[in-house]
Amino acid sequence: MRLILEVWRQESPTAEGRFTVHEITDAREEMSILELLDRLNHQLVDNGEEPVAFESDCREGICGTCGVDVNGVPHGPRDNAPACFQHIRALRDGATVRIEPLRALGFPVIRDLIVDRTGLDRIIQAGGTVAVDAGTAPDADALLVTHADAESALDFAACIGCGACVSACPNGSAHLFTGAKLAHLALVPHGKKERGRRARAMVAQMEHEFGPCSQIRECVLACPASIPITAIAAVNKERLRAAFWTRDN
Amino acid sequence: MTSLTQDTDPIPRAERPAANPPPFPPTWALKVTMAVTGMAFAAFLAFHMAGNLKVYLGAEDFDHYADWLRTLLNPLVPGEVFLWIFRVVLGLSFVAHVGSGAILWYRARKARGPHARKILVNRISARTMIWTGLILGSFVTFHVLELTVGMRPMASDAFVQGSAYANLVHSFSRPAVAFFYGLTMALLAFHLSHGLLSVVNDLGATGRRFRAVWFAIAGIVAVLIVLGNLSIPIAVQTGILT
């Protein structure tokens, strides 16, 4: 396959960015977007040029490290798949592919395709943890959790924190991310102890750096973990609850 | 031992969560305000549409209904007191709805950053809420000046305070006004459908069955309101109502 790549190059957070055009003549259908970038970097290094900086780690869809916009869509053209699972067979032979960093005001570019996603870390730091003394692991039957709650909590816990939802959103909103964590921890016994405090802290931190949700639902298509839209409702559910129930739990 | 990169490292280090309060009023509270006032408008519209349909029963029924509205809850609440409470509540809801919408629009636009987004979901109603909202806002102003206050040139030349049926027919006999009403009703369909669908998320309804039932009701209510209202200017223009 022959592909024309337009790749975003930016030296530093403050430098002006621009697209550079490269041609890949020996791309193979089974390559992922990340392998395509690897191929490009080999080519650049062979020509004595600076390789494109991008992030990736596990390349099996569980770490959330990778993330680029491919033709304006986070991760790539396939719905609900991370960049490492986006194979270029989805693209036309001879097509022009525009690869740029995840876009949002909350994600400043560090270099080329790498963005600073610590805004999401700060939301988790604010309250996405269990801060009560939970002790050692209890007996298996000491804390009863229904099967439905456990399944639901696991669905929300599937978030890998890649930031695709924020980049997909025309409002730069982190509702899907924040809601997934709030909904997950509100369903499990240890998380419930700080349900109100967590909602106040995480929503406040989210509002510092990310936009409001207009329910356009781009995030739901982009999410590689298939977090359901009810995560969005969970943000206001938990925050409203915390407005009336002013205690920690 | 000195760090090689400590001072020159261009990568911003993770800071603690902010200690200062987030933007005021909070985004979540603005969304809840939009949802609550929006639902109040939708409920008002449903009753308004049901009342409007009395126009098909003839001038006497319609004028009697219009008169009843002015003296609602009489004699428990004397005179037009209830009418004015109703107007003040709707007016304040209007201000809250428009104000929250403007702040949210600004915050959303800012958080997007300088790069445009590609839109995959065919959800034109969500993307145009601010524009359909602005047009509906100016429509409501026109509508009140025309048929309630009777201010010319918005009101027809034949406007007489109190004869609701005649005023309505005279007004909609003007093709431009009938067209404007029709157009705003089409925009209302977009605004109302997205608004009513958004309410479940803004008010935090996560239950699957509740959401499914709400979506069905929201769709039916939006369609009924728009079709019911739309029929009246069409009926006047086609000569069914004279």
Side-chain angles (χ1 to χ4, degrees):
Chain A
M1 269 177 92
R2 181 180 152 274
L3 290 170
I4 311 292
L5 299 188
E6 293 178 359
V7 183
W8 184 263
R9 303 305 299 266
Q10 186 172 336
E11 294 292 313
S12 70
T14 48
E16 188 123 336
R18 73 204 178 282
F19 284 101
T20 56
V21 182
H22 310 272
E23 188 181 9
I24 303 278
T25 49
D26 56 353
R28 292 194 315 273
E29 287 195 332
E30 64 271 23
M31 278 181 170
S32 69
I33 292 290
L34 302 179
E35 285 161 344
L36 187 67
L37 286 168
D38 287 339
R39 182 72 201 86
L40 171 67
N41 278 348
H42 279 296
Q43 198 170 298
L44 288 172
V45 170
D46 286 348
N47 295 340
E49 293 171 66
E50 190 74 16
V52 177
F54 68 97
E55 280 186 286
S56 79
D57 191 17
C58 74
R59 301 212 176 185
E60 54 185 23
I62 54 167
C63 76
T65 308
C66 64
V68 288
D69 273 12
V70 180
N71 290 335
V73 182
H75 290 307
R78 226 176 89 206
D79 290 345
N80 302 116
C84 51
F85 285 177
Q86 299 274 355
H87 297 106
I88 60 174
R89 67 173 70 94
L91 304 166
R92 213 165 20 82
D93 190 24
T96 301
V97 188
R98 175 167 277 214
I99 300 180
E100 54 189 317
L102 294 176
R103 297 295 195 190
L105 192 74
F107 288 168
V109 173
I110 295 170
R111 186 186 173 90
D112 294 345
L113 302 176
I114 301 179
V115 294
D116 177 8
R117 285 173 283 188
T118 51
L120 297 183
D121 295 345
R122 285 188 285 275
I123 296 177
I124 297 296
Q125 273 182 306
T129 50
V130 171
V132 291
D133 188 355
T136 53
D139 284 342
D141 54 359
L143 284 170
L144 300 180
V145 182
T146 65
H147 180 72
D149 280 356
E151 285 292 336
S152 188
L154 273 173
D155 284 347
F156 288 116
C159 172
I160 55 176
C162 65
C165 49
V166 178
S167 180
C169 180
N171 294 358
S173 163
H175 271 64
L176 200 73
F177 172 84
T178 311
K181 190 49 68 190
L182 287 172
H184 159 213
L185 290 176
L187 281 163
V188 289
H190 288 129
K192 275 179 188 164
K193 297 283 179 283
E194 299 159 281
R195 196 174 163 186
R197 184 170 70 192
R198 169 180 309 114
R200 283 185 286 275
M202 286 183 75
V203 172
Q205 181 57 30
M206 175 186 80
E207 292 184 0
H208 265 293
E209 301 184 50
F210 299 98
C213 170
S214 299
Q215 282 138 54
I216 299 165
R217 303 178 190 218
E218 289 289 331
C219 54
V220 178
L221 287 187
C223 179
S226 299
I227 300 293
I229 188 72
T230 39
I232 302 276
V235 173
N236 272 20
K237 177 186 184 178
E238 294 299 313
R239 189 58 189 82
L240 265 175
R241 179 187 173 277
F244 291 106
W245 182 260
T246 55
R247 300 181 198 170
D248 280 352
N249 67 340
Chain B
M1 198 178 82
T2 55
S3 165
L4 290 174
T5 55
Q6 189 111 54
D7 298 318
T8 52
D9 191 350
I11 301 173
R13 276 166 296 169
E15 299 153 35
R16 301 296 303 170
N20 54 325
F24 186 85
T27 296
W28 67 270
L30 292 174
K31 290 300 287 191
V32 170
T33 308
M34 301 275 312
V36 171
T37 53
M39 277 204 299
F41 292 142
F44 169 74
L45 279 176
F47 284 105
H48 190 22
M49 188 275 292
N52 288 347
L53 290 182
K54 296 211 184 337
V55 79
Y56 292 111
L57 298 178
E60 200 178 321
D61 271 305
F62 192 66
D63 286 351
H64 178 244
Y65 164 69
D67 191 52
W68 173 79
L69 278 181
R70 296 191 158 267
T71 54
L72 205 61
L73 289 195
N74 274 1
L76 178 66
V77 186
E80 294 189 348
V81 170
F82 182 79
L83 178 75
W84 277 101
I85 293 173
F86 198 75
R87 283 173 173 170
V88 167
V89 169
L90 274 183
L92 290 178
S93 300
F94 187 81
V95 172
H97 197 79
V98 173
S100 305
I103 299 172
L104 287 169
W105 180 80
Y106 172 73
R107 285 183 188 169
R109 189 64 199 78
K110 205 171 92 183
R112 179 198 300 174
H115 298 276
R117 277 320 170 278
K118 190 170 185 173
I119 294 305
L120 300 176
V121 187
N122 186 16
R123 198 162 266 275
I124 187 96
S125 53
R127 304 269 298 162
T128 52
M129 281 305 264
I130 184 93
W131 308 115
T132 50
L134 283 173
I135 297 171
L136 286 171
S138 25
F139 166 77
V140 168
T141 316
F142 175 87
H143 185 52
V144 168
L145 287 178
E146 185 207 356
L147 287 173
T148 309
V149 182
M151 185 195 281
R152 293 189 177 87
M154 277 71 85
S156 66
D157 293 332
F159 183 88
V160 182
Q161 192 68 260
S163 13
Y165 183 88
N167 291 341
L168 183 145
V169 172
H170 282 134
S171 172
F172 288 174
S173 304
R174 300 172 293 176
V177 172
F179 178 77
F180 181 49
Y181 270 79
L183 181 74
T184 29
M185 283 309 116
L187 295 180
L188 178 66
F190 282 98
H191 198 84
L192 199 57
S193 61
H194 181 69
L196 286 177
L197 294 187
S198 299
V199 162
V200 285
N201 286 342
D202 290 337
L203 296 183
T206 52
R208 188 181 303 173
R209 198 184 313 153
F210 180 89
R211 289 170 70 97
V213 170
W214 179 269
F215 288 162
I217 293 174
I220 293 167
V221 168
V223 167
L224 285 183
I225 288 175
V226 170
L227 288 184
N229 283 335
L230 198 54
S231 73
I232 299 171
I234 294 175
V236 174
Q237 279 291 312
T238 52
I240 296 169
L241 290 175
T242 46

